[in-house]
Amino acid sequence: EKGARWQEALGMFADLQHQALESNTAIHNAAIFACKNVGLWQLAVAMLSGMRAANLETLHISFNAAMAACANGRRWREALLVMADLR
């Protein structure tokens, strides 16, 4: 059930971006988790990068979700790169 609504979560995130509404850490984290649940590792990493570019607070769970998305996609190198960015 949780992972089944990923398209809706990502659609809401896209709507926020399209309407130029202010985003926050919680919204980005929810979108990264949605990506993790369905194996969209590239999008998860891009969203994490977007958080940093927008000067949003990145939490350990932000990085953990992006690393897990990479691991789910068997993208170990990318997971390690995300982990290196955590430091």
Side-chain angles (χ1 to χ4, degrees), residues 33-79:
F33 271 93
C35 292
K36 174 192 75 84
N37 290 336
V38 295
L40 297 175
W41 66 269
Q42 294 111 325
L43 189 53
V45 171
M47 288 182 178
L48 181 63
S49 295
M51 287 178 75
R52 297 181 91 188
N55 292 320
L56 293 175
E57 181 181 15
T58 51
L59 306 172
H60 281 90
I61 61 169
S62 311
F63 286 91
N64 288 344
M67 285 186 291
C70 292
N72 289 346
R74 298 188 187 274
R75 304 302 297 204
W76 308 113
R77 182 175 186 271
E78 289 80 0

Side-chain angles (χ1 to χ4, degrees), residues 4-21:
R5 299 186 69 177
W6 66 271
Q7 290 174 317
E8 185 178 347
L10 293 180
M12 292 169 84
F13 182 82
D15 288 345
L16 283 173
Q17 300 296 335
H18 180 70
Q19 296 174 18
L21 298 175

